[in-house]
C-alpha cells in the first residue's frame, strides 16, 4: 500500500493541475517544506486509474541515451571552425601583435647584451657567428616548428600543452579519471578518426598507452610540468621585459641607478596587471598599434644601422659562421646559448594563445611582420657592433640614433609592458584548461568576450603573477640573472611540446615513422643543446623557474590525485539498486511536489550522498534527477548535445540520471533558469523517445505473436548497444529556440501515434506529472564532501590527502559559487569520503 501511495498522490495532483488549480503544497525555498498527504482509498480508484497503474508497473525494455549520442556530425561549433573572411583574419593578425608577439618582439632589448657578456668580442667571427646563430634559431623553432607544424596540432582551435593532452585523451583512453563513456566519442566536436586496423603502429601506440598505468601517469606529469613552466614564464616575462626597457635610462639620466630601475619597473608592472580585467580583446586592440609601431621601429633602425655601419653582416645568412663561432670559442660559445635562446622567448605563446585568435592570423602576423622585422633588428645591432664592439652591454639603446632616443624609449617601455601580455594570456588559458580537465583547483573565471570563448580573465592568477613579478624584480635587480632563469622555463616548455606533438603525429595524424623521427631529431636535438646550456646556470638564477614549476606541479598533481581517489571512493560506495527497490517508490519517506537536482560526479549508479538526504530530510521530491557535471576532452560541447538522460529504477520511482557535458573551453555562466528549462525540455524529449521506442517494440512483438517478457529495470548500463538512442536529445534545435514548445519539437522527430494519449496514456501521465513538478520549483541538493585518507594508509598519502588536498578543497571556489542559484533553493549535507 505504501509503495503505491506516491503514485496515486501524483495522479491526484495531475487531476488537480489539469483542472486549472493546484491544491497540493509547494516546495518553496528548500529549507521549509509543508505538505499534506490525503489517504488513498480503494473506493476512489476507478478503472481508468487502474489502467494507468498497470502501464506504469509494466517494465518494458530499457531505452536510454546515456551511452550513445549523435552518430552524425551536424557541423562544427567553435569560432575556429568556419573560415573567417580575409579582413577578419587581417584584423585578428593585427591583434596578435599586441597579445602573442610582444614577448618575442622585445627580445632585441637584451639578447646580444646577454650573449656577449659570456663571449667577448675579439673579431668579426664572434659577431657574425652570434648573429647567424640567432637568425637560424628564430627560423628553426618559431617559424619551422611552431608556425608550420605545431599550430596544426590544435584541438579544434585550442592550443597549449593541455590542448594536446586532451587531443591525445580523445584518441586513447589515458585519462586517470575513469568517467569516460561511449557517448562522449559521439559528440560532434570529437571528430574522431580512430587509427585504422591497417596502421598497426598507431593501434600499438594506443593500446600501450591504455594498458600501462605508469605511462598514463608519466604523460600527465609531462603535461603538468609543461603547464607549470608556462605559468613560470608568465612570471619571468614581465620582469625581464619591463626591467630591460627601463634600464635604458641608466645611461641617459645621471643618478638613475639600479634602485630607481627596480622602483619604476614595479610601478609599470602594477599598471600592466591592473588592466588585465578589461580582457584580451580590448587589451589587444589597445596594444596592437603600439606593437605595430615598435616592429616598424625595429625594422627601420635596423636598416639604418646596416647601411650606415656595415652591410657585410648579411654574410651571417651563411650558417658556416655558426661553425666558426663554436670552433673559436668552444665552451664559452656553448655557454652563450643561454643568451641566444632568449631570442625565441614567447614562441610557445603562439600555440598557447591560439584559442584567442586563429591559426591563419598567427601565421600571417609572424611570417610577414614579426620574422622580417626581428631579422632586420638583429642585423642592425650586429652592424653597429662591427664598428663599436664595446657597446654590447647597452647595444639596443646605443644603436638608436641619438635624436630618436626618447621616442624609442617610450615605445620600448610600452612594448615591454605588452610583451608580458602574451604569457599572461597564455597562463590564463592553460589554467582554465587544467581546471576543466580536473588538474587545478576551481577558481573564478571571468569571460571577457561574447565573440571569442577563449578570452578569459582569472583574478586570483592575475594577482599571484603580479606579486611574484614584484618579488623577482626586487630580489634579482638584474636582467642578466633573470635571463638565466628565463631560459630554463622557455626551453622546458618547448621540449614538452615537441614530445606531445610527436605522440600526436604517431597516434592521430598517423605520420610516416621517418617523418616523426626527423621531427624529433631536428627540433629535439636543438632544444636539448639549448637545455644543456641553460641548466648550467642553475646556481646563477636558473633555480627560480624550477622552484615555480615544482610548486605548481605539486598543486596540480595533488588536486588530480585527490580528485581521482574521491571519484573511485564514490564508485565503490554507490547505493545498490536492490536497496532502492526494497524501499519502494516512496523511497522510505514522503514524496512532495517538485524537482530535486542532486549533484554528484558519478556517470553510473546512485551516489552514496543520496542516502544522507533520505536520512536527514523529512521528504524528497516527486521527481529526482541525479545531475553529473562532466568535462570531456573537447573544447566545446554543442548545446543540443549537452545532456544525456537515463531512467533510474522503475517508472513509478520518477528518478532519472542526467550527465551534463562541458568542454574545457565552455564557461558555465548560464542562468539557472535557462539551465533548468533546457534540462526539462531535454528530459521531455527523452521520455517521448523512450515511449516511442517501447511502443514500436511492443507492436513488433505483437506482430510476431510473442509475449513480451517483463524485465526488471536497473541503473546498470545495458550491454546491447542496439538498445541505445542514437539521436541527440535536442537535435535540430538551435540554442535560441529552447523556449519553444517541447511537444512541437518532438513532433518533428516522432510520429503522432507515439504521442497520442490513446496509444500511450502513461506517457501523457508522466509528462503531466513532470510539468506539475516543474511548476512546484527546483531544489539543488549538494553534498559537502570531506575527503580523508584511510587509517591504514601510508604516511605520505595521509599527508597529501588530509592536509594538502583538504587545504586546496577548503580554499578553492565551492560548487555553490559556480551556480547562479538563490541560496534558499540549495540544500547541503555533509559527507566524508575515506580514500
Amino acid at each position: 500500500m505504501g509503495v503505491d501511495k506516491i503514485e496515486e498522490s501524483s495522479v491526484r495532483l495531475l487531476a488537480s493541475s489539469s483542472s486549472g488549480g493546484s491544491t497540493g503544497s509547494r516546495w518553496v525555498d528548500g529549507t521549509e517544506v509543508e505538505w499534506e498527504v490525503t489517504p488513498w482509498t480503494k473506493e476512489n480508484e476507478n478503472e481508468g486509474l487502474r489502467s494507468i497503474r498497470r502501464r506504469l508497473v509494466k517494465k518494458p525494455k530499457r531505452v536510454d541515451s546515456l551511452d550513445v549520442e549523435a552518430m552524425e556530425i551536424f557541423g562544427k561549433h567553435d569560432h575556429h571552425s568556419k573560415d573567417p573572411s580575409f579582413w577578419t583574419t587581417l584584423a585578428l593578425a593585427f591583434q596578435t601583435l599586441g597579445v602573442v608577439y610582444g614577448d618575442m618582439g622585445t627580445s632585441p632589448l637584451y639578447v646580444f647584451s646577454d650573449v656577449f657578456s659570456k663571449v667577448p668580442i675579439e673579431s668579426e667571427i664572434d659577431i657574425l657567428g652570434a648573429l647567424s646563430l640567432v637568425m637560424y634559431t628564430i627560423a628553426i623553432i618559431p617559424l619551422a616548428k611552431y608556425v608550420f607544424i605545431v599550430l596544426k596540432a590544435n584541438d579544434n582551435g585550442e592550443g597549449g600543452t593541455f590542448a594536446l593532452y586532451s587531443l591525445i585523451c580523445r584518441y586513447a583512453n589515458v585519462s586517470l579519471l575513469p568517467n569516460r563513456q561511449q557517448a562522449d566519442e559521439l559528440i560532434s566536436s570529437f571528430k574522431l578518426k580512430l587509427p585504422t586496423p591497417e596502421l598497426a603502429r598507431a593501434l600499438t601506440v594506443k593500446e600501450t598507452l591504455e594498458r600501462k598505468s605508469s605511462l598514463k601517469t608519466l604523460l600527465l606529469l609531462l603535461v603538468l610540468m609543461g603547464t607549470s613552466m608556462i605559468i613560470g614564464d608568465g612570471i619571468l616575462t614581465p620582469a625581464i621585459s619591463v626591467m630591460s626597457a627601463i634600464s635604458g635610462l641608466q645611461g641617459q639620466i645621471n643618478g638613475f641607478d639600479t634602485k630607481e630601475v627596480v622602483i619604476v619597473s614595479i610601478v609599470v608592472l602594477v599598471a600592466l596587471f591592473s588592466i588585465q580585467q578589461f580582457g584580451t580583446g580590448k587589451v589587444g586592440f589597445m596594444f596592437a598599434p603600439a606593437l605595430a609601431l615598435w616592429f616598424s621601429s625595429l625594422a627601420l633602425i635596423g636598416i639604418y644601422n646596416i647601411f650606415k655601419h656595415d652591410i657585410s653582416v648579411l654574410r651571417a645568412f651563411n650558417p658556416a659562421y655558426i661553425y666558426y663561432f663554436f670552433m673559436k670559442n668552444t665552451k664559452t660559445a656553448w655557454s652563450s646559448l643561454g643568451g641566444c635562446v632568449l631570442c625565441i622567448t614567447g614562441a610557445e605563446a603562439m600555440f598557447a594563445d591560439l584559442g584567442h585568435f586563429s591559426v591563419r592570423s598567427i601565421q600571417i602576423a609572424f611570417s610577414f611582420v614579426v620574422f622580417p622585422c626581428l631579422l632586420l633588428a638583429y642585423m642592425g645591432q650586429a652592424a653597429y657592433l662591427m664598428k663599436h664592439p664595446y657597446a654590447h652591454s647597452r647595444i639596443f639603446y646605443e644603436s638608436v640614433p641619438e635624436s630618436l632616443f626618447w621616442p624609442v624609449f617610450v615605445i620600448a617601455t610600452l612594448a615591454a609592458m605588452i610583451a608580458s601580455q602574451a604569457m599572461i594570456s597564455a597562463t590564463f588559458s592553460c589554467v582554465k584548461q587544467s581546471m576543466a580537465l580536473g588538474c587545478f583547483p576551481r577558481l573564478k573565471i571571468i569571460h571577457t568576450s561574447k565573440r571569442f570563448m577563449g578570452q578569459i580573465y582569472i583574478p586570483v592568477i592575475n594577482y599571484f603573477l603580479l606579486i611574484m613579478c614584484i618579488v623577482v624584480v626586487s630580489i634579482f635587480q638584474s636582467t642578466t640573472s633573470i635571463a638565466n632563469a628565463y631560459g630554463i622555463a622557455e626551453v622546458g616548455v618547448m621540449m614538452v611540446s615537441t614530445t606531445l606533438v610527436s605522440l600526436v603525429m604517431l597516434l592521430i595524424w598517423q605520420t610516416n615513422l621517418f617523418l616523426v623521427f626527423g621531427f624529433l631529431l631536428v627540433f629535439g636535438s636543438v632544444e636539448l643543446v639549448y637545455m644543456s646550456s641553460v641548466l648550467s646556470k642553475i646556481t646563477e638564477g636558473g633555480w627560480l623557474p624550477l622552484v615555480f614549476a615544482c610548486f605548481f606541479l605539486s598543486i596540480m598533481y595533488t588536486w588530480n590525485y585527490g580528485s581521482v581517489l574521491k571519484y573511485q571512493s564514490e564508485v565503490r560506495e554507490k547505493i545498490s539498486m536492490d536497496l532502492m527497490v526494497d524501499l519502494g517508490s516512496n523511497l522510505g519517506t514522503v514524496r512532495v511536489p517538485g524537482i530535486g537536482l542532486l549533484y554528484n560526479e558519478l556517470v553510473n549508479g546512485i551516489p552514496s550522498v543520496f542516502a544522507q538526504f533520505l536520512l536527514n530530510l523529512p521528504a524528497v521530491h516527486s521527481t529526482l534527477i541525479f545531475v553529473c557535471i562532466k568535462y570531456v576532452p573537447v573544447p566545446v560541447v554543442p548545446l543540443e548535445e549537452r545532456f544525456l538522460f537515463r531512467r533510474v529504477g522503475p517508472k513509478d520511482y520518477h528518478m532519472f540520471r542526467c550527465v551534463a557535458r562541458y568542454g574545457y573551453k565552455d564557461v558555465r555562466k548560464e542562468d539557472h533558469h535557462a539551465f533548468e528549462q533546457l534540462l526539462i525540455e531535454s528530459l521531455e524529449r527523452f521520455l517521448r523517445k523512450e515511449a516511442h521506442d517501447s511502443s514500436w517494440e511492443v507492436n513488433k512483438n505483437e506482430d510476431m505473436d510473442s509475449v513480451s517478457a517483463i524485465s526488471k529495470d536497473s541503473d546498470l548500463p545495458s550491454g546491447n548497444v542496439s538498445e541505445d538512442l542514437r539521436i541527440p536529445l535536442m537535435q535540430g534545435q538551435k540554442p535560441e529556440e529552447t523556449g519553444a514548445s517541447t511537444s512541437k519539437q518532438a513532433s518533428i522527430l516522432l510520429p503522432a501515434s507515439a504521442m497520442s494519449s490513446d496509444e500511450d496514456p502513461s506517457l501523457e501521465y508522466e509528462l503531466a506529472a513532470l510539468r506539475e513538478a516543474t511548476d512546484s520549483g527546483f531544489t539543488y541538493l549538494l553534498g559537502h564532501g570531506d575527503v580523508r585518507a584511510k587509517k591504514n594508509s601510508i604516511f605520505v598519502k595521509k599527508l597529501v590527502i588530509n592536509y594538502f588536498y583538504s587545504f586546496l578543497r577548503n580554499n578553492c571556489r565551492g560548487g555553490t559559487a559556480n551556480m547562479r542559484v538563490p541560496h534558499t533553493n540549495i540544500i547541503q549535507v555533509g559527507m566524508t569520503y575515506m580514500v
Side-chain angles (χ1 to χ4, degrees), residues 698-719:
V698 170
N699 293 335
K700 181 185 70 172
N701 291 338
E702 289 177 355
D703 292 339
M704 296 174 60
D705 295 326
S706 61
V707 179
S708 177
I710 300 177
S711 60
K712 180 180 178 180
D713 278 316
S714 70
D715 190 53
L716 297 177
S718 174

Side-chain angles (χ1 to χ4, degrees), residues 39 61 95 133 143 182 301 328 367 517 594 636 643 725 753 833-834:
K61 183 179 179 181
Q95 284 191 57
L133 191 61
L143 183 64
Q182 184 182 358
I301 294 173
K328 177 181 181 298
S367 302
F517 179 75
V636 178
F643 298 107
L725 296 184
S753 59
Y833 298 94
M834 303 302 297

Side-chain angles (χ1 to χ4, degrees), residues 547-697:
V547 171
F548 285 143
C550 291
F551 173 72
F552 283 103
L553 177 63
S554 61
I555 289 178
M556 290 190 286
Y557 188 74
T558 298
W559 184 264
N560 180 267
Y561 177 69
S563 300
V564 171
L565 290 181
K566 178 178 178 292
Y567 185 86
Q568 293 173 346
S569 175
E570 287 194 77
V571 172
R572 289 193 306 267
E573 298 174 2
K574 62 184 180 181
I575 300 175
S576 169
M577 195 61 209
D578 294 334
L579 176 61
M580 303 302 296
V581 172
D582 293 340
L583 290 176
S585 61
N586 63 352
L587 303 177
T589 181
V590 180
R591 306 288 291 270
V592 295
I595 294 180
L597 303 179
L598 195 153
Y599 279 73
N600 65 102
E601 297 181 6
L602 292 181
V603 295
N604 280 311
I606 300 176
S608 56
V609 70
F610 183 55
Q612 300 296 321
F613 283 103
L614 293 179
L615 292 174
N616 290 279
L617 296 182
V620 294
H621 303 78
S622 58
T623 299
L624 289 171
I625 302 176
F626 299 100
V627 181
C628 171
I629 302 295
K630 173 185 171 183
Y631 283 92
V632 291
V634 296
V636 178
V637 175
L639 188 63
E640 63 270 17
E641 300 175 22
R642 176 82 71 212
F643 298 107
L644 297 175
F645 276 92
R646 152 171 288 170
R647 186 183 294 277
V648 179
K651 277 192 173 183
D652 56 346
Y653 279 53
H654 303 287
M655 296 194 304
F656 305 91
R657 163 160 290 100
C658 170
V659 179
R661 303 175 299 180
Y662 292 83
Y664 57 79
K665 265 181 61 179
D666 284 325
V667 179
R668 291 176 53 202
K669 61 176 183 177
E670 66 265 21
D671 181 75
H672 72 98
H673 292 299
F675 179 84
E676 293 164 1
Q677 181 184 12
L678 184 60
L679 185 144
I680 294 302
E681 290 173 352
S682 300
L683 179 55
E684 289 189 7
R685 176 66 59 85
F686 166 72
L687 293 175
R688 292 180 184 276
K689 182 61 179 175
E690 179 190 50
H692 169 64
D693 287 0
S694 299
S695 175
W696 178 84
E697 182 185 354

Side-chain angles (χ1 to χ4, degrees), residues 738-814:
T738 55
S741 171
T742 308
S743 60
K744 292 180 180 179
Q745 297 160 358
S747 63
I748 300 174
L749 298 177
L750 303 178
S753 59
M755 294 173 284
S756 172
S757 60
D758 295 334
E759 293 290 334
D760 194 353
S762 66
L763 171 62
E764 292 303 317
Y765 159 70
E766 196 160 19
L767 290 176
L770 178 62
R771 296 185 187 110
E772 175 72 17
T774 303
D775 294 338
S776 298
F778 291 78
T779 300
Y780 291 75
L781 310 175
L782 308 177
H784 184 70
D786 184 21
V787 182
R788 309 292 294 178
K790 294 180 180 179
K791 292 184 178 180
N792 59 351
S793 301
I794 61 175
F795 172 76
V796 175
K797 182 178 179 180
K798 290 181 179 179
L799 181 66
V800 171
I801 297 299
N802 295 348
Y803 295 95
F804 297 156
Y805 181 68
S806 296
F807 175 81
L808 293 176
R809 280 183 60 87
N810 294 333
N811 291 276
C812 72
R813 190 171 175 84

